[in-house]
Amino acid sequence: MGYANPQSLVSTEWLAQHLNAPDVRVVDASWYMKHLGRDPKAEFKAEHIPGAVYFDIDDIADTDSDLPHMMPSAEKFSSRCRRLGLGDGVRIVIYDGGGCTAAARAWWMFRAFGHDDVSVLDGGLPKWKAENRPLADLPDVPRERHLSARYNTFLVRDVDQVLDNVKRNREQVLDARSAGRFAGTDPEPREGLRSGHIPNSLNLPYQEMFKADGTFKDATGLQAAFDRAGIDMKKPVVTTCGSGVTACVLALGLHLIGHRQTAVYDGSWTEWGGRDDLPISR
């Protein structure tokens, strides 16, 4: 694969071999857009990888915010993870039912709170099921575990920082939405949002991180995708999307090939496109 940080991605074969390891914890972070009509909690109850716990990005969030699944406080993140048995001294492997989208968001959250021993299951639950690997339908009862959560602001950008960057252009902004949404020719799936993109930003639909089978491209393929998007690997990158989920897929892709200055704009287009006082381009 040639990744600079191969530890951030594990194969279904690796997880199957380490499923019962005492220092490995499995997390289902499935989340779906409403128009898909899928219930991730119900699906988790029906079937999940044995020993997995459900990580709800809408609950482990700043629920006082009007924006979806914004980053929670370190205290809330630590409390919720402790109840799930996720904490210091364990390797956390995250998957989701869609492949590697919401899993990438949870991966980024753990890193933003100082837990670097975290990986994404390459291909996610679809690949696991396609290989006829074991599934469970009984809830796991985790033992609480301490988590030392320390918020790393270098991995997160807020709206004021992104607006300042529009003027200063110090960081490259990379949008994970589709080309049509980025151009403003296709409607946004969330009502009430303007169409277009953040001025001076670049576009790389998150699907370009994956091969046809839903697993991540190798380092050469990822690098080629970022090159096509016009990314200079020597400069900082801020990823964005609709609500801060698929932006994390791009952040994971950049991390895999060794980019060291990557942050995620947490509010993303739900915030930017929902405000009339912020500039947009089409």
Side-chain angles (χ1 to χ4, degrees):
M1 293 182 183
Y3 297 139
N5 292 298
Q7 73 282 356
S8 292
L9 204 61
V10 301
S11 66
T12 50
E13 181 181 10
W14 184 95
L15 182 58
Q17 293 173 351
H18 294 83
L19 200 56
N20 298 315
D23 61 342
V24 172
R25 296 289 184 276
V26 184
V27 171
D28 184 323
S30 298
W31 173 88
Y32 307 105
M33 291 287 291
K34 288 184 179 180
H35 72 273
L36 295 176
R38 297 181 65 173
D39 184 338
K41 292 181 181 178
E43 291 184 18
F44 175 79
K45 290 180 180 178
E47 58 179 17
H48 53 263
I49 295 177
V53 294
Y54 183 67
F55 184 99
D56 186 349
I57 65 170
D58 282 330
D59 175 62
I60 307 175
D62 178 5
T63 50
D64 291 329
S65 173
D66 293 333
L67 299 170
H69 38 256
M70 293 288 282
M71 288 290 280
S73 66
E75 292 76 17
K76 183 173 184 178
F77 185 82
S78 178
S79 174
R80 292 292 196 275
C81 289
R82 184 170 63 245
R83 295 178 196 173
L84 294 174
L86 308 172
D88 302 336
V90 298
R91 182 173 188 180
I92 297 171
V93 178
I94 308 174
Y95 72 90
D96 67 62
C100 299
T101 51
R105 168 73 184 191
W107 165 85
W108 172 77
M109 290 176 68
F110 274 98
R111 293 184 65 245
F113 283 111
H115 190 94
D116 291 328
D117 200 1
V118 57
S119 308
V120 167
L121 179 63
D122 199 13
L125 189 61
K127 189 171 190 292
W128 183 270
K129 291 173 65 175
E131 295 168 348
N132 294 313
R133 300 194 185 273
L135 294 167
D137 59 4
L138 296 175
D140 189 67
V141 183
R143 185 176 66 179
E144 287 198 10
R145 194 176 190 96
H146 177 72
L147 175 68
S148 303
R150 299 173 301 277
Y151 191 43
N152 183 355
T153 58
F154 290 105
L155 296 183
V156 187
R157 294 291 179 272
D158 63 24
V159 63
D160 292 331
Q161 291 170 313
V162 177
L163 179 60
D164 182 68
N165 187 67
V166 170
K167 304 169 187 175
R168 300 176 184 272
N169 204 30
R170 292 176 175 174
E171 298 179 316
Q172 304 166 99
V173 178
L174 185 61
D175 196 322
R177 294 177 300 154
S178 67
R181 289 171 65 190
F182 181 83
T185 56
D186 291 344
E188 286 295 311
R190 292 178 176 84
E191 294 183 5
L193 300 185
R194 299 176 297 164
S195 296
H197 58 266
I198 297 169
N200 305 321
S201 58
L202 302 170
N203 183 220
L204 178 58
Y206 75 92
Q207 294 92 338
E208 294 192 29
M209 296 290 96
F210 303 118
K211 296 184 290 188
D213 65 356
T215 59
F216 271 86
K217 293 178 178 178
D218 61 19
T220 301
L222 292 177
Q223 184 65 65
F226 289 114
D227 288 344
R228 287 194 299 272
I231 288 296
D232 183 344
M233 294 294 289
K234 296 178 181 179
K235 296 181 179 179
V237 177
V238 176
T239 63
T240 182
C241 60
S243 67
V245 175
T246 57
C248 299
V249 177
L250 298 186
L252 176 53
L254 285 164
H255 178 73
L256 287 171
I257 60 175
H259 192 271
R260 296 182 179 180
Q261 293 178 287
T262 305
V264 172
Y265 170 28
D266 200 19
S268 283
W269 195 252
T270 301
E271 180 174 39
W272 195 278
R275 287 178 49 172
D276 293 331
D277 60 331
L278 298 173
I280 62 171
S281 297
R282 294 189 179 92

